[in-house]
Amino acid sequence: MLDLPRKRERVPLLDDRVSTSPCFVCATNFIKEHRPHKNTSILRVSTVSIKHRDNLCYERTTKRGLGKFPFRLNMLLMDSCTCTTSIIHSFFLSRELVFDRKDVVIACADLIGATIWILFWQWMASKDWIERTISRKIVHMTCTPLFVLTWPLFTDLSGSRWVACIVPLLMGFRLWIAGKGWSGDTISKIVSRKGSTEEALKGPLYYVIVTFLVTLFLWKDSPLGIVALMQLCLGDGFAEVIGRRWGKSLTWPFCRDKSVIGTFAFSIAGFLASYFALVYFKSVGTKFLGAGELSIFSLLVVTLTCSAVELVNFLDDNFSVPFMAVLIGSLLLRNN
C-alpha cells in the first residue's frame, strides 16, 4: 500500500459516485531524481490522471511525487472519501479503444509488406538462387524486426496497439489454416525447416504468437518488448545460420546440437540488434512510459542470459528466449 502525503488538498466534488465506484489511475508525468550517494537516477510519478468509469476525469499533481507504484494504491481524493484504485495499464482499463485512420493504414501496409516479403524469398528459393534453409532464416530474422520498426509510426491512442496486433494475428491465422491443410497457401514451405504443412503449427506459429503477445502487452511503452523480439529474431536467427555453417566442429558438451560459435553469434547479433533498435526508437522521439532505459551493461546481461537459455531445450526457443529477456530486463530496470 502506498498513500499520498497526509496533507489534503481541497478539490471540487466531481460526482458523488466517485466515492463509491472504482476509478482508474494512470501516470501522466514523471520527474527524474538523481541519487548522488548511489550514483543512480529514478523516475518518480508527479502527476496522475484518475478516470472514473463514467468518463469523469480528475488530474492530481504532487510536489513530492508518488514514488514507485505498487499493485494497488489508496488515494485520498476528497476529505470525505477514499477511493481504491488499481494500477493497471490504461489500455486494459478503458472501455473505449480509440485509434486513428493512420493506424489502420500502417497496419495494412505492414500486412501487404510482410506478404510481399515472404513471397519474394519463396520465389528466390524456388529458382534455386538461394538455399531454402537460408531463405527461411531470412524471413525469420527480418519479418518481425521490420514490423517493430514501424511501431513509432502508429499513434499513441489507446487502440493503436490493438490495430497493430491485427498484423501478427492474421499472419498466425494464415499459418494455422495452412498448417491444417485447409488451404493451398504455400507459406508453410518458406517458414518450416522441412517444408511440411504440419511443421508450420509449431515453431513458426509460436513465433507469431509471441509477436502478438509482445505487441499487445508491451508495445512501444517499454524497451523490454523491443529487446525480447530482437533477441528472438536476430539473436536466435544468427545462432542457427552461423552455427550450422561454421560451428559443427565445436559443440557444447552438454548440448551437442548447439555450437559454441553459434552461441557467440547469438550474443553479438542479439546485443547489436537490441542496441540499435533502442537507438532508433529514441532517435524518432519514442518515450518509454515510466519504464526507464536499459543501460549497455543491462542489455549485455540480457543478451548473455538469452544466449544461455537458448542452449537449454526445456522449452521452445520462441517462448524461452523472449520470456527470459522480459524477465531479466524487468529486474534490471527495477534496480536502475
Side-chain angles (χ1 to χ4, degrees):
M1 291 292 185
L2 177 66
D3 292 324
L4 286 175
R6 295 183 178 276
K7 184 178 180 180
R8 300 174 179 177
E9 298 178 11
R10 300 295 299 182
V11 295
L13 185 63
L14 298 178
D15 196 296
D16 292 335
R17 290 170 295 176
V18 176
S19 62
T20 58
S21 302
C23 60
F24 308 118
V25 59
C26 180
T28 58
N29 193 24
F30 299 86
I31 296 177
K32 189 173 184 179
E33 294 185 0
H34 183 65
R35 294 181 171 182
H37 61 287
K38 292 186 177 181
N39 196 25
T40 58
S41 297
I42 61 172
L43 285 177
R44 290 194 179 277
V45 179
S46 62
T47 306
V48 292
S49 176
I50 302 171
K51 184 176 181 181
H52 186 251
R53 67 179 181 179
D54 294 325
N55 292 327
L56 296 173
C57 295
Y58 168 69
E59 188 169 84
R60 182 183 183 113
T61 303
T62 62
K63 295 181 180 180
R64 297 177 55 188
L66 299 177
K68 295 183 178 180
F69 279 166
F71 290 102
R72 297 188 65 81
L73 171 71
N74 284 335
M75 179 171 291
L76 189 62
L77 297 183
M78 293 156 238
D79 289 344
S80 59
C81 68
T82 299
C83 180
T84 301
T85 59
S86 300
I87 306 305
I88 311 175
H89 200 282
S90 58
F91 85 92
F92 281 124
L93 304 178
S94 176
R95 292 179 299 176
E96 301 174 350
L97 295 179
V98 183
F99 58 89
D100 191 77
R101 182 184 303 174
K102 178 183 177 183
D103 299 322
V104 178
V105 172
I106 296 171
C108 291
D110 284 337
L111 273 174
I112 296 172
T115 302
I116 294 175
W117 187 247
I118 293 173
L119 290 176
F120 171 75
W121 289 107
Q122 183 178 352
W123 175 75
M124 291 283 287
S126 66
K127 295 293 184 179
D128 293 329
W129 292 345
I130 188 173
E131 296 180 14
R132 186 175 57 82
T133 55
I134 300 299
S135 63
R136 182 185 70 85
K137 292 310 296 183
I138 290 176
V139 170
H140 174 85
M141 292 188 295
T142 56
C143 276
T144 291
L146 290 175
F147 169 59
V148 171
L149 293 181
T150 66
W151 286 1
L153 301 179
F154 287 87
T155 65
D156 294 328
L157 298 175
S158 61
S160 61
R161 73 176 68 213
W162 292 93
V163 176
C165 281
I166 295 175
V167 179
L169 183 64
L170 291 182
M171 295 301 293
F173 183 72
R174 180 183 173 187
L175 277 172
W176 184 68
I177 293 294
K180 289 292 185 178
W182 296 344
S183 70
D185 197 340
T186 58
I187 189 174
S188 59
K189 295 182 180 180
I190 189 65
V191 299
S192 58
R193 284 187 173 91
K194 299 178 181 179
S196 62
T197 55
E198 296 82 6
E199 192 178 351
L201 297 177
K202 297 179 181 179
L205 185 59
Y206 301 158
Y207 173 90
V208 175
I209 291 174
V210 168
T211 303
F212 172 82
L213 294 176
V214 170
T215 304
L216 178 61
F217 290 101
L218 295 176
W219 191 220
K220 54 183 178 179
D221 299 335
S222 169
L224 300 179
I226 301 168
V227 171
L229 291 178
M230 293 300 149
Q231 298 288 333
L232 170 62
C233 300
L234 292 168
D236 183 60
F238 271 100
E240 182 174 349
V241 172
I242 302 299
R244 287 184 181 274
R245 185 169 292 269
W246 292 289
K248 295 180 180 179
S249 60
L250 182 60
T251 60
W252 293 101
F254 53 87
C255 187
R256 291 297 182 183
D257 59 337
K258 304 288 185 179
S259 67
V260 177
I261 294 179
T263 302
F264 279 111
F266 186 115
S267 301
I268 296 173
F271 176 81
L272 292 178
S274 301
Y275 174 77
F276 284 110
L278 294 179
V279 169
Y280 163 75
F281 271 80
K282 187 175 181 180
S283 66
V284 297
T286 301
K287 295 182 179 179
F288 302 120
L289 301 181
E293 296 182 2
L294 284 172
S295 64
I296 294 179
F297 175 75
S298 299
L299 194 58
L300 181 61
V301 172
V302 171
T303 302
L304 294 177
T305 305
C306 290
S307 62
V309 168
E310 194 259 347
L311 298 175
V312 184
N313 295 322
F314 71 95
L315 187 65
D316 191 279
D317 294 345
N318 294 286
F319 289 122
S320 62
V321 170
F323 172 76
M324 190 58 60
V326 173
L327 177 62
I328 301 300
S330 61
L331 293 176
L332 294 173
L333 279 177
R334 184 175 297 179
N335 292 329
N336 282 347

